Amino acid sequence: MKKITFLLLMLGFSSLLSAQCLTSVNGQYPSNTYVIPVCDGLLQNTVTTCGYASEYSVVTVTLGETYTFGSSVSSDIVTISTDSGVTAETFGTGSVSWVATVTGDIWFYTSLDDGACGAETICRTRYVICGIPPTCIAPSNLVSSNITTTSATVSWTTSVTDPAFGYEYYLSTSSTTPLPTDPATAGEAPGVTTTILTGLTPATIYYVWVRSICSATDTSGWSSVVSFPTLCNPVTDFTESFDDSLDLPVCWAKVGTGGSAYVQTSGTTTSPPNNLYIYGFSTTSLPVISMIPVSNAGDGTHRLRFRARSNYTVGGIIEVGYLTDPSDDTTFVGLQNFTTTSTTTFDYFSAILGTAPGANQVLAFRHTGVPANSVLIDDVIWEPLPSCVEPSPLIVSGVTDTSAILSWTASVSNPSGYEYVLDEVATDPAVSGVLTTSLIYNATALNPLTTYYFHVRAKCSSTSNSAWLTVSFTTLATPPSNDDCMNAISITAGSVFTDSPVIGTTIGGTTMNGLTFACQTNRKNDVWYTVVVPASGTLTVETDTTAGTTMTDSVLSVFSGTCGSLTEVGCDDDTGNGNFSKVVLSALTPGTTLYIGVWTYSSTFGVDGAFQLSAYDASLTNNAFLNSNFTFYPNPVKDILNLSYSQNISKVQVINLLGQEMIVKTMNETQGQIDMSPLSTGTYLVKVTSEDQVKTIKVIKE
């Protein structure tokens, strides 16, 4: 009998010993003291999601408050100490409730229930619930639906038990959470978890909270909020210049999560201070902007007129269409596409949609994402079709020092002809213009370095003319009698930077005069070369840095023709090898001579030794970065730059235009992200290395 009693006593002592676990083989985690953010008796405040057994956390408590400490491993021993782990204040298995006897820091242990307070390096969650659970709990999961101009439906999920006295809701146009003493707007009977709100104001954002009524004296706190905007009453006409605020105008919205679109400040827009920015990163990330609904979208009586320009690179395409569901970007139906032609001048565009929208009332813009060039939009107008519609768009091309080509699209009004005026005045002409039936005008005998304005309008009858449409252009400087290519260095098409690469020598003078560049135009002091096209008719020309220099930029142009009469056949700005540029040409005539002009950015333009040049037969080498297999977005970028390549990317470097390395990231995967949020606004060169191949891209940080 004594043996049995002694054994029972020992078992009891062992159980007591294992229940008070103040050992900490794995020490403290996390290292900081945890301050409980929410004390509502319900929320599990997570101290850590990867705590170990035989480990502790330090938690701040308040005298007299009720706490429940627990582990996600239900068999863990939970022990609380108020004296740095010397003695146990309370303990239990899985979790333990405790009314704090101190104000300050306590020690929260979790250990294995193995009779020895064992350690284990397997993640478990340590949590704490602060406060006494309320007897009446607020509903959750509030959602809005069936929104109209004057009504909406709000529904919710009941609390643990359906409150005996039903629910009350609070409706407001302010986002401020109501106080417990604030009277409810109205209520619903027990078991009813939906309410229909009526008498609302169109184009207004509403906020709704709900609480449970468990008895005449027991009410829950207010739930989390649900908000929604009521729909807008359709209009027949509108004008929007985005100047009231940096928020999207009332009744305008970015629909879906694709791309980027917002109102931004701009000192160069058509009507300062703001314009709309819209940018599609790719064909799978298209931003959609819905407009205020119009009751006559499909009547064929109105048109959508707006102005737009490219942001950094020409060619961005904007679609105009409509949404069959104003809240779903996948229901966009495109009707007309418009391509921007300038990074400085806002083009006039006019979308005549006819009856295509039908009964749908919400028109929308969408960026095509191809090419991924951001576009700025301003002065959007939905207006009645004039009796005589102006021709649009008006395009300038072929500008030289003494000539330019002006062309336009025929007016939908089928006019008898067009009148045009060419002058140096930006405002509409005060006189009639020259009458023509052509859609093109070749301007000649112009003055060099002069800004001209070309005005054109449709002439529908002897008494009916359209509004004037105007575009400006500046003629080039008079070309020199001999371009600097007269003193070009002769090179032979060979291997990639292995055949005694040529070191450039500045010729001097300004090489822009009389030349038209497809890429960066603010160039001077080019270094000039000639090369003969190989028998294959293919040629790759690229620049690279020379050892010991700090060059970070180059622009490369390839021309055919003769000095004094050159035609550019290829141009590149920093998308080639390393920090430099690359032009790939094919279908050339073997044996002909090409002229190569290289401009470099550094403390000295075209400095000797700053770069080296290679021209080689592209059909004989595979040593090239596969541009078609490489993608990056967005550009411009605010925070994260995404990179993707068909082969593993080994390293990414972000370099500013002073040649300073700002970010270096080592990778070994085909996709990656670079966080550029810490960098200042400006232009950066991003150097991507894959095996022995290197590609440099220019990225704009917003």
Side-chain angles (χ1 to χ4, degrees), residues 13 16 144 208 221 311 341 350 365 371 389 394 424 484 505 528 537 572 597 652 686 702:
F13 178 76
L16 180 62
S144 59
V208 180
N311 192 22
T341 64
S350 181
F365 289 121
V389 179
L394 180 53
E424 298 178 31
D484 289 336
T505 302
W528 284 89
D572 184 56
V652 179
V686 179
E702 294 185 332

Side-chain angles (χ1 to χ4, degrees), residues 280 282-287 315-319 337 366-372:
S282 66
T283 56
T284 58
S285 184
L286 307 181
I317 302 174
I318 291 294
E319 294 179 277
N337 287 9
R366 184 171 74 175
H367 192 290
T368 65
V370 179

Side-chain angles (χ1 to χ4, degrees), residues 209-222:
W209 296 262
V210 180
R211 65 185 176 188
S212 301
I213 310 299
C214 298
S215 71
T217 58
D218 192 7
T219 302
S220 76
W222 292 107

Side-chain angles (χ1 to χ4, degrees), residues 267-314:
T268 60
T269 190
T270 58
S271 57
N274 303 332
N275 58 226
L276 176 67
Y277 171 100
I278 184 167
Y279 176 45
F281 305 150
S282 66
T283 56
T284 58
S285 184
L286 307 181
V288 174
I289 291 290
S290 63
M291 307 177 206
I292 183 173
V294 290
S295 59
N296 49 6
D299 289 356
T301 59
H302 283 58
R303 67 174 177 178
L304 187 75
R305 188 158 55 90
F306 63 99
R307 301 190 69 180
R309 72 167 174 86
S310 302
N311 192 22
Y312 290 102
T313 308
V314 297

Side-chain angles (χ1 to χ4, degrees), residues 612-690:
Q612 58 189 25
L613 182 75
S614 178
Y616 57 91
D617 186 345
S619 66
L620 302 179
T621 179
N622 292 319
N623 187 19
F625 201 104
L626 300 177
N627 291 333
S628 60
N629 294 341
F630 176 72
T631 58
F632 65 98
Y633 67 91
N635 189 16
V637 60
K638 284 189 174 181
D639 300 308
I640 301 299
L641 177 67
N642 298 282
L643 303 169
S644 176
Y645 189 47
S646 57
Q647 302 175 32
N648 278 351
I649 299 172
S650 57
K651 184 171 69 173
V652 179
Q653 300 159 270
V654 179
I655 304 168
N656 65 20
L657 293 184
L658 297 177
Q660 298 168 323
E661 195 173 72
M662 308 301 292
I663 298 174
V664 179
K665 183 174 182 179
T666 301
M667 302 167 53
N668 189 28
E669 51 194 21
T670 59
Q671 295 181 339
Q673 294 182 324
I674 304 299
D675 184 3
M676 297 183 66
S677 58
L679 300 181
S680 302
T681 299
T683 301
Y684 293 85
L685 303 173
V686 179
K687 185 175 181 180
V688 183
T689 302
S690 176

Side-chain angles (χ1 to χ4, degrees), residues 174-472:
S174 168
S175 60
T176 302
T177 303
L179 298 173
T181 55
D182 287 337
T185 303
E188 295 293 347
V192 179
T193 58
T194 298
T195 190
I196 299 176
L197 307 172
T198 59
L200 306 180
T201 302
T204 303
I205 298 177
Y206 283 93
Y207 302 84
V208 180
W209 296 262
V210 180
R211 65 185 176 188
S212 301
I213 310 299
C214 298
S215 71
T217 58
D218 192 7
T219 302
S220 76
W222 292 107
S223 69
S224 58
V225 68
V226 63
S227 64
F228 58 88
T230 50
L231 301 184
C232 298
N233 282 322
V235 297
T236 57
D237 308 276
F238 70 79
T239 297
E240 183 54 63
S241 59
F242 308 102
D243 294 333
D244 291 340
S245 159
L246 289 179
D247 296 322
L248 283 169
V250 175
C251 301
W252 289 59
K254 182 180 185 297
V255 185
T257 59
S260 179
Y262 49 86
V263 177
Q264 66 171 21
T265 300
S266 173
T268 60
T269 190
T270 58
S271 57
N274 303 332
N275 58 226
L276 176 67
Y277 171 100
I278 184 167
Y279 176 45
F281 305 150
S282 66
T283 56
T284 58
S285 184
L286 307 181
V288 174
I289 291 290
S290 63
M291 307 177 206
I292 183 173
V294 290
S295 59
N296 49 6
D299 289 356
T301 59
H302 283 58
R303 67 174 177 178
L304 187 75
R305 188 158 55 90
F306 63 99
R307 301 190 69 180
R309 72 167 174 86
S310 302
N311 192 22
Y312 290 102
T313 308
V314 297
I317 302 174
I318 291 294
E319 294 179 277
V320 174
Y322 60 90
L323 291 162
T324 59
D325 180 350
S327 63
D328 185 354
D329 61 321
T330 65
T331 68
F332 176 86
V333 179
L335 296 177
Q336 293 183 31
N337 287 9
F338 300 91
T339 303
T340 53
T341 64
S342 172
T343 58
T344 57
T345 301
F346 279 78
D347 294 319
Y348 288 88
F349 295 111
S350 181
I352 301 176
L353 308 179
T355 59
N360 296 286
Q361 297 185 333
V362 178
L363 303 179
F365 289 121
R366 184 171 74 175
H367 192 290
T368 65
V370 179
N373 298 336
S374 53
V375 172
L376 307 181
I377 297 175
D378 208 350
D379 299 331
V380 184
I381 303 172
W382 179 250
E383 63 182 5
L385 274 169
S387 58
C388 188
V389 179
E390 65 271 13
S392 176
L394 180 53
I395 298 172
V396 182
S397 61
V399 178
T400 71
D401 59 320
T402 59
S403 64
I405 301 173
L406 293 307
S407 61
W408 56 93
T409 302
S411 165
V412 296
S413 300
N414 295 318
S416 58
Y418 302 91
E419 288 183 345
Y420 65 84
V421 173
L422 180 64
D423 58 23
E424 298 178 31
V425 181
T427 56
D428 288 346
V431 297
S432 298
V434 178
L435 184 62
T436 181
T437 57
S438 176
L439 298 177
I440 190 169
Y441 172 65
N442 292 307
T444 58
L446 305 179
N447 296 318
L449 294 176
T450 303
T451 299
Y452 287 93
Y453 295 87
F454 183 76
H455 318 268
V456 64
R457 68 181 179 184
K459 190 168 187 63
C460 296
S461 70
S462 60
T463 58
S464 176
N465 299 313
S466 74
W468 288 104
L469 193 64
T470 300
V471 68
S472 66

